[in-house]
Amino acid sequence: MRSKNTYILGIESSCDDTAAAVLCNGNVLSNVVANQAIHQKYGGVVPELASRAHQQNIVPVVDQAIEQAGISLADLSAVAFTQGPGLMGSLLVGTSFAKSLAYGLDIPLIDVNHMQAHILAHFIENEDTEKPEFPFLAMTISGGHTQIVRVDAHFKMTVIGETIDDAVGEAFDKSGKILGLGYPAGPEIDKRATLGNPKAFKFTRPKVAGLNFSFSGLKTAILYFIQKQLKENPQFIEENLNDVCASIQYTIVGILMDKLKLAVKETGINRIAIGGGVSANSGIRNALKEAESRHGWKTFVPAFEFTTDNAAMIAIVGHLKYLDKNYADQTIMATARLKL
Ligand code: KG4
Ligand code: ZN
């Protein structure tokens, strides 16, 4: 007979990380991620290579998650997987694996929306972080997404703003490419930004009405700026790299904070939870801390391992849906453009 504990296996394969995690009653027992280094030399994710790497990684990653959790497959209560949004070839690997495993073990299969998971990662049981009270605003910022979401309950979410072109992580990564930095460039821009002058160079902020974002114009502005400077001084990048990084980061953080302030004003909600890879950025973290003291906001930043793409966030959604007996059936399909 199965124990009263709820063990959920989460599987994430929406982009370029193959991940599996096991949660027991919402507590993380294991959280395994296999990053795909293969994309670095291409300066971005190559979908066909990602799919192939997922196929190679999925069995060892799930095995490791089960082993580290100290359980066996027979202990699992359900299998949760990312249905979308993401790259179709990548999603298909996790979806078909999860379907087969749930079928073979004769346990429930639970579909998870990746964007919902970035937000519900705040509900993973964790002594060090507090869970946000409803309603709150969630800002999901990563290489694939930029959204502000009003969250009234675990499964009552409304997108109130999103990017109309590039995601904010892309703005970091594409700027980094212009500067000759490796991929993904976000972490290096962040590191250099702490050593530079954020007001050394000024980049105009895009004018987008309401709570939507646009980052493609910024990338072009940076490109033209660098090309112009290089004409005058071929060593411009080497001589000014930290200041350029600090100025880019200052501009991006300013764009995010302006929209958050508007969202707080429009909704009257001042509890802000962030998620996604860019929430690791020191500039955005400092700006949020400052907003706590200056504007009386309450902000929530998840532990780093739960903020970049990971499977613990998929498993926590699986756990919450399992409690509601909200299961999928075997006809479910990966959906690349799944909406929140
Ligand atoms: O959530 P994530 O791991 O994957 C998805 O894109 O879904 O986010 C990756 C993105 C990349 O664009 C990367 O450059 C950015 O997050 N990133 C950062 C930092 N760490 C990661 N951007 C700015 N500052 C950072 N410290
Ligand atoms: Zn993501």
Side-chain angles (χ1 to χ4, degrees), residues 43 97 239-240 306 319:
F97 185 90
E239 288 171 10
N240 297 278
F306 305 138
H319 179 76

Side-chain angles (χ1 to χ4, degrees), residues 185-238:
E188 187 169 355
I189 292 182
D190 189 4
K191 212 168 7 153
R192 290 185 171 275
T194 58
L195 306 170
N197 172 8
K199 297 196 175 152
F201 307 106
K202 195 168 162 46
F203 301 108
T204 34
R205 295 186 190 177
K207 290 188 181 51
V208 188
L211 296 173
N212 283 342
F213 298 90
S214 167
F215 287 102
S216 66
L218 179 64
K219 168 195 67 193
T220 315
I222 292 167
L223 178 66
Y224 289 163
F225 168 79
I226 294 293
Q227 283 174 342
K228 185 166 171 273
Q229 298 297 327
L230 284 177
K231 262 190 208 146
E232 289 161 22
N233 172 11
Q235 262 75 54
F236 177 80
I237 295 181
E238 292 83 344

Side-chain angles (χ1 to χ4, degrees), residues 39-175:
H39 307 287
Q40 276 162 10
K41 63 177 176 220
Y42 299 100
V45 177
V46 184
E48 185 51 38
L49 295 179
S51 175
R52 236 179 284 164
H54 282 306
Q55 290 176 40
Q56 284 163 357
N57 292 342
I58 190 115
V59 171
V61 164
V62 170
D63 264 355
Q64 206 180 325
I66 296 288
E67 195 188 313
Q68 278 183 15
I71 62 163
S72 72
L73 285 174
D75 295 314
L76 289 177
S77 312
V79 181
F81 70 99
T82 305
Q83 185 196 6
L87 301 170
M88 191 41 126
S90 293
L91 290 167
L92 277 171
V93 178
T95 303
S96 26
F97 185 90
K99 282 166 82 166
S100 319
L101 188 63
Y103 185 74
L105 295 172
D106 194 20
I107 55 175
L109 173 70
I110 300 176
D111 54 310
V112 174
N113 181 310
H114 179 93
M115 298 308 294
Q116 219 167 40
H118 268 302
I119 295 170
L120 294 178
H122 288 273
F123 294 89
I124 292 171
E125 295 296 337
N126 190 340
E127 279 170 12
D128 304 328
T129 50
E130 211 184 322
K131 297 187 183 100
E133 242 176 75
F134 299 114
F136 65 90
L137 298 178
M139 185 168 73
T140 315
I141 41 179
S142 76
H145 348 279
T146 307
Q147 286 189 331
I148 302 181
V149 180
R150 182 190 163 115
V151 187
D152 286 286
H154 287 135
F155 296 104
K156 189 163 181 244
M157 299 186 183
T158 318
V159 179
I160 57 174
E162 61 190 330
T163 183
I164 56 170
D165 42 53
D166 288 352
V168 59
E170 283 181 281
F172 275 104
D173 296 338
K174 289 179 178 175
S175 305

Side-chain angles (χ1 to χ4, degrees), residues 12 14-15 114-115 118 140 142-145 276-277 307-310 313:
E12 154 65 28
S14 65
C15 190
H114 179 93
M115 298 308 294
H118 268 302
T140 315
S142 76
H145 348 279
T307 196
T308 56
D309 284 352
N310 69 88
M313 70 181 193

